Amino acid sequence: SSSSSSSSPPSSASVSPSSSPSTSPDRKLSSDTPLTPFNLVEKTYKPKEYNKTIQEEELYALQAIFLEDFKMISSNPPSFMIIIPFPNSFILSLKRSQNEFPTINLEITFTSNYPDEIPNILVQQEYLSLAEWPHQKEFELITFINKIANDSLGSSMIFGIVSNVKDWLEINSSNVKSNSFIAPSPSSSASSPYYTCVSSSSS
């Protein structure tokens, strides 16, 4: 077994809101959802006062909760990263150097309508090879995040998403090498690391 000792470049996948939720209220993630890179941030960020207040309060709370694992990227539109470490048991099994701690990084950008639609979420992993973290695994995690986000529409959702991702990693990281995935799996796998997840209207 020749497992590569050098760390691979970060891979990424994305969750993003629908570009026009009013015209396609019933769209949901499926095996034929078109693949797209993370470039769907709206050209003009103009939230209503209600949405702006919710977003500002949530950002303040997230900074206080995640401390050094929270990195602010920009303020207009609000964009930030939350770093989620893999479980210790998984890290130890990789026998890596002390400077290489695998993480899942969520790069999140609020839209004008957040939290009434899901934000743009770029999911990145660091310090894992393709064998240790295959694209199928990324798709499983994106599908899971999309479900949590859609279930949380209308209220602040980032802390809930991060908490659920931590729980998901606890269950699934031990199953990476056996390709036994616990989270809901799509009907077909995709070869690209980019995926689009679309918020569905609750009305």
Side-chain angles (χ1 to χ4, degrees):
S1 62
S2 58
S3 65
S4 114
S5 56
S6 61
S7 59
S8 62
S11 67
S12 58
S14 68
V15 179
S16 60
S18 57
S19 56
S20 179
S22 58
T23 57
S24 55
D26 299 323
R27 287 191 61 203
K28 294 183 181 179
L29 181 70
S30 66
S31 59
D32 60 353
T33 299
L35 304 177
T36 180
F38 180 72
N39 61 359
L40 301 176
V41 179
E42 40 186 7
K43 290 188 169 45
T44 306
Y45 171 73
K46 289 185 177 178
K48 296 176 184 173
E49 196 59 38
Y50 169 76
N51 298 83
K52 192 169 189 287
T53 299
I54 289 180
Q55 293 176 19
E56 288 174 348
E57 291 176 351
E58 184 170 10
L59 281 171
Y60 182 80
L62 292 171
Q63 286 175 303
I65 292 168
F66 295 109
L67 302 174
E68 67 274 9
D69 289 332
F70 180 97
K71 314 288 183 189
M72 199 71 198
I73 298 171
S74 72
S75 58
N76 189 13
S79 181
F80 53 95
M81 177 182 289
I82 295 178
I83 300 168
I84 306 172
F86 276 80
N88 286 334
S89 57
F90 178 69
I91 295 173
L92 290 172
S93 73
L94 298 175
K95 299 181 173 60
R96 293 290 178 79
S97 72
Q98 289 187 327
N99 296 325
E100 294 184 351
F101 292 108
T103 61
I104 290 292
N105 305 331
L106 302 183
E107 186 176 317
I108 299 162
T109 303
F110 286 159
T111 64
S112 298
N113 293 326
Y114 175 83
D116 297 319
E117 68 181 6
I118 63 176
N120 285 286
I121 305 176
L122 176 64
V123 181
Q124 302 171 309
Q125 65 81 13
E126 288 193 290
Y127 298 119
L128 291 177
S129 68
L130 186 60
E132 293 163 336
W133 190 254
H135 291 331
Q136 172 71 11
K137 198 68 171 176
E138 290 180 345
F139 192 86
E140 294 288 338
L141 180 55
I142 286 295
T143 304
F144 180 71
I145 291 174
N146 185 60
K147 181 182 186 310
I148 300 300
N150 275 294
D151 288 346
S152 306
L153 283 172
S155 60
S156 300
M157 65 179 74
I158 307 305
F159 178 77
I161 288 173
V162 173
S163 298
N164 277 281
V165 169
K166 287 180 177 179
D167 292 343
W168 190 93
L169 289 174
E170 284 285 349
I171 296 171
N172 285 273
S173 59
S174 61
N175 298 318
V176 169
K177 293 176 182 175
S178 66
N179 283 338
S180 171
F181 305 135
I182 306 300
S185 60
S187 56
S188 63
S189 61
S191 57
S192 166
Y194 294 106
Y195 306 99
T196 303
C197 297
V198 186
S199 62
S200 56
S201 170
S202 54
S203 57

